[in-house]
Amino acid sequence: MSCLFCFSGEKLSPEERKGKYGDAWGQYADNENEFKVKLCGAPCAEPCCWIGGMICMPCAQYKLRHMALNHAEPGSGWSNYQCCQGEFGGCCCIQPGNLGEDSCPRCCMCLEGSFCPGMAVSASQGMIMRQYSLGLDEDDVRLIRCSNCLQWLACIASLLNICIDCEGDDACVTIINTVADVVFCCVSGCMTARTYHEIKEREALAPEKYRMVR
């Protein structure tokens, strides 16, 4: 996580808000409200959730999405579930809301959490951010920039590995990919823990509203 502090925490620039994923994050960039705990403080606030979010991502995302859905609309179960809650749009014939969510939402969520855990936790967090007009803190912005940097670095390293055959190039690519994977797991765990903490704290302020079987 310390590598995140190598990047600026200033607000996202207009260029960084472009594209499918830029649009998904950019819509929250100007909101002034903040989460009750910062991203890097989430492991201390919810250590078990943070560890669980890294060790068993599919299960953690399944639980978190159910919590988010029923926090937004108490007692709704899985009735409002969509793949990634439509946060990232679709591609060709793969469109959120038309993937069998109505008939088998639990199965769809299991698949989402297993094959797209990063998008899954972003979607659950996005629901809470949208509901309470929460913005991006400095940790979020550093995360986005760090992730973009790692993706570019991994892409360039892989291309060079294909074009240039030299001793140790496979090891370098492996190291870069491993670093990217470790950062992804840590940050996903932090996002899971922070969203869980936000829901728990919000519901503690209005227990009667959420006192029902989920």
Side-chain angles (χ1 to χ4, degrees), residues 142-163:
R142 289 191 179 101
L143 155 66
I144 293 170
R145 289 176 173 145
C146 179
S147 178
N148 290 340
C149 179
L150 285 172
Q151 288 176 13
W152 275 107
L153 187 60
C155 181
I156 292 170
S158 297
L159 289 174
L160 290 176
N161 188 37
I162 294 172
C163 300

Side-chain angles (χ1 to χ4, degrees), residues 8 10 20 56 81 86-87 103 114 139 147 158 189 194 211:
S8 171
E10 295 295 322
K20 183 178 291 187
C56 189
Y81 169 76
E87 285 280 331
S103 59
S114 298
D139 293 343
S147 178
S158 297
R194 183 175 66 170
R211 188 174 294 167

Side-chain angles (χ1 to χ4, degrees), residues 11-66:
K11 285 189 174 183
L12 295 178
S13 67
E15 287 297 318
E16 290 174 305
R17 301 186 194 189
K18 293 180 179 179
K20 183 178 291 187
Y21 299 105
D23 288 342
W25 287 106
Q27 61 181 308
Y28 309 114
D30 296 322
N31 292 346
E32 296 298 329
N33 297 330
E34 296 182 350
F35 279 93
K36 297 187 181 301
V37 63
K38 287 187 175 294
L39 190 67
C40 289
C44 294
E46 300 290 346
C48 293
C49 185
W50 177 60
I51 293 172
M54 293 188 294
I55 294 177
C56 189
M57 286 189 184
C59 296
Q61 299 319 315
Y62 182 97
K63 173 64 175 177
L64 186 66
R65 182 65 57 78
H66 190 253

Side-chain angles (χ1 to χ4, degrees), residues 59-198:
C59 296
Q61 299 319 315
Y62 182 97
K63 173 64 175 177
L64 186 66
R65 182 65 57 78
H66 190 253
M67 287 183 66
L69 288 168
N70 286 271
H71 178 78
E73 189 173 332
S76 62
W78 290 96
S79 60
N80 295 323
Y81 169 76
Q82 282 190 354
C83 180
C84 296
Q85 298 307 121
E87 285 280 331
F88 304 100
C91 179
C92 300
C93 61
I94 303 175
Q95 297 294 333
N98 297 321
L99 300 173
E101 295 100 318
D102 290 338
S103 59
C104 196
R106 292 178 177 84
C107 180
C108 290
M109 184 60 225
C110 287
L111 293 173
E112 179 188 328
S114 298
F115 294 102
C116 309
M119 296 173 73
V121 67
S122 295
S124 297
Q125 176 178 267
M127 290 182 62
I128 303 303
M129 294 179 75
R130 188 163 53 250
Q131 182 171 354
Y132 295 108
S133 298
L134 300 174
L136 301 174
D137 61 32
E138 293 179 354
D139 293 343
D140 290 308
V141 176
R142 289 191 179 101
L143 155 66
I144 293 170
R145 289 176 173 145
C146 179
S147 178
N148 290 340
C149 179
L150 285 172
Q151 288 176 13
W152 275 107
L153 187 60
C155 181
I156 292 170
S158 297
L159 289 174
L160 290 176
N161 188 37
I162 294 172
C163 300
I164 302 174
D165 187 15
C166 61
E167 185 177 353
D169 56 349
D170 289 337
C172 288
V173 172
T174 300
I175 291 171
I176 292 171
N177 287 331
T178 299
V179 170
D181 289 342
V182 170
V183 170
F184 171 77
C185 286
C186 289
V187 171
S188 293
C190 288
M191 291 173 68
T192 300
R194 183 175 66 170
T195 304
Y196 171 81
H197 183 78
E198 190 72 20

